[in-house]
Amino acid sequence: MNKFYITTPIYYVNDIPHIGHAYTTIAADVLARYKRLKGFDVYYLTGLDEHGQKIMEAAQAKGVEVQKHVDEMAEGFKKAWNKLEIKNDGFIRTTSEKHKKVVQEFFKKMMEKGDVYKGQYEGWYCIPCESYWTEIHLKDSPKNKDKKKYVCPDCGRPVKKVKEDTYFFKLSKYQDQLLKHFEENPDFLQPVSRKNEVLSFIKQGLKDLSISRTSFTWGVPIPGDDKHVIYVWFDALINYVSALDAFDGKNYKKYWPADVHVMGKEIIRFHAVIWPIMLMSVGVPLPKKVFGHGWWTVEGKKMSKTTGNVVDPIALAEEFGVDPVRYFLLREVPFGVDGDFSRASLIARFNADLANDLGNLLHRTLTMCEKYFKGEIPNPKNHKFDDLSKELVALSEKTIDEVDKSMNALAFSEALSKIWKVIGVANTYIEKEAPWKLAKAGETEKLEAVIFNLLEVLRITAILISPYMPSTGEKMLSELKASDIRELSFGKKLAGKKVAKGQPLFPRLEK
Ligand SMILES: [Zn+2]
């Protein structure tokens, strides 16, 4: 059986899950579900990044023990993913014993390889981002033009000058090997725009990376020198193998390397530069693909706590339903490109795509099946009796393959457009074939073929949309009496079953 290992980043436990987290997590869930549907043995991992100075400070501000603080925050993420129908196989937390053990083992391996040395770090640190910046980074950043005090090129907040004993990781040693990997694996980093950005960063010259801190204690101690804790990013990246019980665990042997790491574009550099080099150092295969998706603005504005326009995915799901939210996020914008969220566009998609196109096709077809055949699905002699029928059948068969290509490229929106094209053609097919006229004229064979074709298109559609909209897919299949007929090809297994029409899938929103 083919395996498929997919991950989201581990989210910062201090955050409250917002639409950005939900986007990554839903996207990965859709692909994981799709791969399961195609018979893959899937492992879908998400989790939480729970170490670092800022987390320690947040707990102190709250007056609780740090572990208690992260435990409480972790519940919020678990609830959110549960609500959004995320079906993950693993949930890794960096404060778990299992993780800490692997981090130390990883570190030892790098030391044994001679890739870690002790020195002194002097530079700039952004506490909220937990990232280090060199003078050059800061000077080159447009955010630092005309400013007396340096700010973080990522988030714009002030950086702090730090000087301390530290362990360094020999990033520079692997620069050529990494460039070669990019050359030999053109699909390693996607989309292409991200790749060019990262390649030019590598070519500027990689500097050895400071990977330990002594100024705080909330982290994984360095084996044999516990005054030092391991740099949080380093610690965090190892989650992708610690969750699988590296390096001897059954899951590690089965699922590593990852087939795809999915993430927001802001953390691409950690995943496409530092992480692969860490893996090269310990001598294990690199992930097959790293994909950095775009960001959401809200009604044209950058989403931020200060603006107060952070979108809560749970509230949204409660108002519109889980499936419409999942559908909207992946349909509205091609994965990899930035997009804008607005209620108006969500409502427009809901009414046009879900209520009109999909909902009506199902409802009309089931109504006709009831009216003309007492609900019993016909078994036509020749279901491709005319050109329109041939086209509809051919299109829906072709779409199964095309959707597969799009899904494998993480082109979620493209896959949905292809599915909706079939839905559109099926709706037109009803108008053109006019079953009510066939019924009147007593052309039963043709009428059987038309209704049969529509039901079969709906069955295939239900399967193809089920990774995006799990409940909707199941509901449709159950109304079509096809819950156990999951073949992705045009067939006749439905014939003779009795449909069970339910309430319309998506009643129009009047707003
Ligand atoms: Zn920052």
Side-chain angles (χ1 to χ4, degrees), residues 314-329:
I314 303 304
L316 219 49
E318 269 158 12
E319 185 177 356
F320 296 99
V322 174
D323 281 3
V325 172
R326 289 173 62 111
Y327 172 79
F328 173 81
L329 290 176

Side-chain angles (χ1 to χ4, degrees), residues 223-236:
D225 191 354
D226 56 15
K227 264 200 348 234
H228 288 256
V229 295
I230 294 171
Y231 173 38
V232 278
W233 261 107
F234 224 68
D235 169 356

Side-chain angles (χ1 to χ4, degrees), residues 125-131 133 151-159:
Y125 187 63
C126 173
I127 298 178
C129 295
E130 316 246 11
S131 36
W133 300 102
V151 296
C152 168
D154 274 349
C155 71
R157 286 174 282 205
V159 287

Side-chain angles (χ1 to χ4, degrees), residues 126-194:
C126 173
I127 298 178
C129 295
E130 316 246 11
S131 36
Y132 297 103
W133 300 102
T134 64
E135 199 90 18
I136 300 163
H137 281 132
L138 297 175
K139 263 189 196 145
D140 286 352
S141 159
K143 287 205 169 115
N144 282 307
K145 295 273 172 295
D146 315 316
K147 281 206 183 83
K148 289 209 178 75
K149 227 176 163 190
Y150 281 144
V151 296
C152 168
D154 274 349
C155 71
R157 286 174 282 205
V159 287
K160 222 172 116 182
K161 188 154 198 178
V162 288
K163 187 177 174 181
E164 57 188 59
D165 280 345
T166 187
Y167 286 88
F168 283 97
F169 175 52
K170 289 186 183 169
L171 220 51
S172 55
K173 174 179 160 187
Y174 293 93
Q175 178 168 332
D176 293 340
Q177 198 179 327
L178 183 62
L179 285 171
K180 193 163 160 250
H181 184 81
F182 269 90
E183 235 164 69
E184 286 169 356
N185 300 276
D187 293 336
F188 175 62
L189 174 56
Q190 288 178 339
V192 179
S193 55
R194 305 275 124 78

